Amino acid sequence: MHNGNQPLIFELSKEGRIGYSLPELDVPEVELSELIPEEYLRKEPAELPEVSELDIMRHYTALSRRNHGVDSGFYPLGSCTMKYNPKINEEVARFSGFANIHPLQDESTVQGAMELMYELQTALKEITGMDEVTLQPAAGAHGEWTALMMIRAYHEANGEGHRNKVIVPDSAHGTNPASAAVAGFEIVTVKSDENGLVDLEDLRRVVGNDTAALMLTNPNTLGLFEEHIVEIAEIVHSVGGKVYYDGANLNAVMSKARPGDMGFDCVHLNLHKTFTGPHGGGGPGSGPVGVKKDLIPFLPKPVLVKKEDGTFHFDYDRPQSIGRVKPFYGNFGINVRAYAYIRSMGPEGLKLVTEYAVLNANYMMRRLAPYYDLPYDRHCKHEFVLSGRRQKKLGVRTLDIAKRLLDFGYHPPTIYFPLIVEEGMMIEPTETESKETLDAFCDALIQIAKEAEENPSIVQEAPHTTVVSRLDETLAARRPVLRYQKQ
Ligand SMILES: *Cc1c(COP(=O)(O)O)cnc(C)c1O
């Protein structure tokens, strides 16, 4: 079976070919059966590909070129912040003092690493306006869940364990209702109004004595800033609920506005988005959570503290803690990258990040608005959402437009999200792209809009230039073939 025109590593195999050279054995050889009970030993040798080192290099390099990454092209995936990951971060993360330590080492031998974590927590507290931060959660969704578990513990400690409802706007990122459900809450949806913002009347209607929390992304997934944010927080607080800020894409407000000042009680950040941790390939992420004073006793333990003598220490004596949410202390390598980024940017640099992220999104939105429907025609923040409903009338769906973009060498935007926009296309350029790149991408989308009118089949049948043509996505999801089978 061929994967495009690239043979599988098994098909490259030639009996007896090897990709390594080892020195002569200088210790006595041991029979495997002396180490492993007979019944567990293979009867037949494992069928492994036999290839040279060069074959392996070429094979995997060729496969890697078929991936799209931030380092290979523009990647405007909305609500994902696919921005450039500065290479200095990688260099710093590889310093032996960071890369070659073990989490079970004695605290006295890893004070520098602990200091870095402490300093990162301090920076994130300042950026979010929160009183304390935990670095334990391994991803955004994990941070959401961690915060909700703290909110649950807080209500229980106040004799209000009956609060079992979490309010989520209909424009929310899918992880919000999912995390609330996993944390054992019932989800109540609050509607968006005609401006794409939380409908205050509907919010007043759904809050009550059973409200545990409201989860809100601000700016929301339409890229719009919630203008009534202070009032929203007051409505939820007035019934005793907590207000949670989904800060995955903080690019939109960083160094300009702080969740803590908007009235939020807790927030999660995605270090693998805003703070330039790489998030390709499902690699480790980091979703720190910041909390206001009320929630500090419930933070996951151990809590990193600085002692009076200036040394750092993990405090396990936290009787109200929700416990550990991750083995050891979080994804330290991502913490190092985020810290390197924050320190190399400085406060003024982080402000510019926000300004460029917002400027780039508004620039693209205005260039594209004549060609695609813009359902919420308002000043946007770091991202914006177009609708392909005009093209749909011509028989061209948003999925077709996304596939056609592949022919131009671009990763498509997020599509069919948020759910409240028909044929939605959610575009987040990020601050790291040049005007030339933004223009070239707009030109491609404008050309596709023209093709949809003049020659729809070229869009409907795209992509034309990729290794494989359009896949049957349902079949690929339902009946994936994950294992090589010799024909
Ligand atoms: C990416 C994202 C998340 C989830 O983050 P993960 O690290 O993928 O779990 C949550 N909310 C919003 C708004 C996001 O953009």
Side-chain angles (χ1 to χ4, degrees):
M1 190 167 51
H2 280 260
N3 169 14
N5 51 12
Q6 176 69 27
L8 298 175
I9 189 88
F10 285 95
E11 292 166 338
L12 293 172
S13 179
K14 287 274 175 292
E15 204 178 324
R17 196 163 284 173
I18 53 170
Y20 61 88
S21 56
L22 293 176
E24 287 282 307
L25 200 63
D26 60 358
V27 290
E29 195 157 358
V30 178
E31 277 297 317
L32 262 189
S33 55
E34 289 173 30
L35 301 171
I36 301 172
E38 193 74 43
E39 72 234 62
Y40 298 126
L41 285 176
R42 280 181 210 283
K43 305 294 172 277
E44 302 286 331
E47 224 178 280
L48 297 175
E50 297 176 75
V51 289
S52 70
E53 182 176 318
L54 180 58
D55 290 339
I56 288 200
M57 277 315 291
R58 288 199 179 138
H59 179 70
Y60 286 109
T61 303
L63 288 182
S64 76
R65 287 208 192 115
R66 293 184 177 182
N67 274 334
H68 191 90
V70 173
D71 288 353
S72 49
F74 185 44
Y75 206 146
L77 201 57
S79 198
C80 280
T81 314
M82 302 301 291
K83 67 191 197 181
Y84 179 64
N85 312 128
K87 295 301 164 255
I88 182 133
N89 296 359
E90 298 304 315
E91 195 160 332
V92 173
R94 283 164 179 71
F95 284 178
S96 157
F98 293 139
N100 297 331
I101 51 177
H102 194 280
L104 288 179
Q105 261 175 254
D106 190 84
E107 281 178 5
S108 66
T109 66
V110 287
Q111 285 290 306
M114 292 170 79
E115 180 172 2
L116 180 139
M117 292 171 72
Y118 189 86
E119 291 284 320
L120 177 60
Q121 288 180 187
T122 307
L124 297 179
K125 277 197 277 189
E126 188 177 333
I127 289 169
T128 56
M130 292 287 154
D131 296 325
E132 198 51 85
V133 165
T134 172
L135 300 176
Q136 265 192 42
H142 195 197
E144 294 170 24
W145 176 83
T146 301
L148 289 168
M149 293 304 280
M150 283 190 258
I151 290 173
R152 161 183 294 270
Y154 167 84
H155 287 313
E156 277 170 6
N158 289 326
E160 302 215 311
H162 65 277
R163 291 182 180 268
N164 64 343
K165 299 218 163 66
V166 167
I167 301 169
V168 180
D170 58 6
S171 62
H173 195 271
T175 51
N176 290 186
S179 309
V182 174
F185 290 105
E186 254 177 62
I187 290 97
V188 179
T189 307
V190 61
K191 284 203 292 264
S192 303
D193 64 14
E194 66 283 0
N195 293 324
L197 305 176
V198 169
D199 185 325
L200 292 185
E201 282 316 305
D202 200 41
L203 179 62
R204 283 200 189 90
R205 197 177 57 74
V206 297
V207 294
N209 290 337
D210 54 0
T211 300
L214 165 76
M215 299 179 85
L216 201 68
T217 312
N218 187 29
N220 63 26
T221 55
L222 294 165
L224 305 177
F225 193 88
E226 294 286 350
E227 289 167 12
H228 307 291
I229 190 62
V230 175
E231 202 174 340
I232 290 171
E234 276 168 12
I235 292 172
V236 178
H237 284 153
S238 72
V239 298
K242 289 286 180 200
V243 194
Y244 173 84
Y245 188 105
D246 180 335
N249 314 102
L250 208 72
N251 272 26
V253 296
M254 182 166 59
S255 292
K256 294 281 178 183
R258 309 193 305 169
D261 301 334
M262 298 177 208
F264 285 87
D265 302 290
C266 47
V267 52
H268 94 262
L269 303 172
N270 276 24
L271 299 189
H272 50 290
K273 288 182 182 170
T274 316
F275 297 95
T276 66
H279 55 150
S286 179
V289 173
V291 296
K292 284 279 181 67
K293 214 168 10 313
D294 275 1
L295 292 172
I296 289 179
F298 309 99
L299 282 167
K301 66 180 174 184
V303 174
L304 177 58
V305 291
K306 187 175 184 176
K307 291 208 269 193
E308 267 177 21
D309 64 1
T311 59
F312 300 91
H313 168 67
F314 283 117
D315 181 10
Y316 287 82
D317 185 17
R318 312 284 290 204
Q320 288 187 291
S321 164
I322 60 166
R324 270 187 189 285
V325 299
K326 167 111 181 44
F328 303 120
Y329 319 107
N331 282 326
F332 179 68
I334 298 293
N335 296 347
V336 177
R337 289 170 176 85
Y339 184 71
Y341 177 67
I342 291 170
R343 292 309 296 259
S344 57
M345 296 303 283
E348 289 309 311
L350 294 182
K351 235 178 232 166
L352 284 177
V353 165
T354 302
E355 287 171 10
Y356 282 119
V358 172
L359 180 64
N360 286 356
N362 278 281
Y363 175 71
M364 290 179 82
M365 181 175 80
R366 290 298 157 208
R367 263 209 74 190
L368 292 169
Y371 305 92
Y372 293 89
D373 277 6
L374 180 61
Y376 299 98
D377 187 356
R378 316 178 73 230
H379 185 69
C380 70
K381 292 292 171 205
H382 62 304
E383 64 191 1
F384 61 99
V385 182
L386 298 173
S387 165
R389 60 193 170 201
R390 199 186 309 173
Q391 285 70 28
K392 189 180 169 190
K393 294 198 191 99
L394 307 166
V396 170
R397 308 258 340 244
T398 286
L399 179 68
D400 303 324
I401 296 168
K403 296 292 183 194
R404 181 69 177 131
L405 274 170
L406 299 175
D407 287 332
F408 293 82
Y410 296 115
H411 193 288
T414 298
I415 56 172
Y416 298 105
F417 184 79
L419 303 175
I420 53 176
V421 174
E422 184 191 357
E423 298 288 316
M425 269 184 280
M426 183 191 209
I427 301 176
E428 183 184 359
T430 81
E431 75 284 0
T432 54
E433 299 295 337
S434 67
K435 178 164 181 293
E436 289 74 17
T437 302
L438 304 182
D439 277 331
F441 180 78
C442 289
D443 290 343
L445 266 181
I446 292 166
Q447 182 179 328
I448 294 170
K450 288 185 180 145
E451 288 171 351
E453 285 175 11
E454 291 156 15
N455 186 8
S457 67
I458 197 170
V459 189
Q460 288 156 341
E461 288 157 24
H464 306 278
T465 61
T466 48
V467 178
V468 289
S469 58
R470 199 176 299 199
L471 300 172
D472 181 334
E473 292 180 9
T474 313
L475 196 66
R478 299 246 167 93
R479 291 192 21 222
V481 180
L482 301 176
R483 190 171 150 270
Y484 174 66
Q485 277 148 354
K486 221 176 200 167
Q487 303 284 303

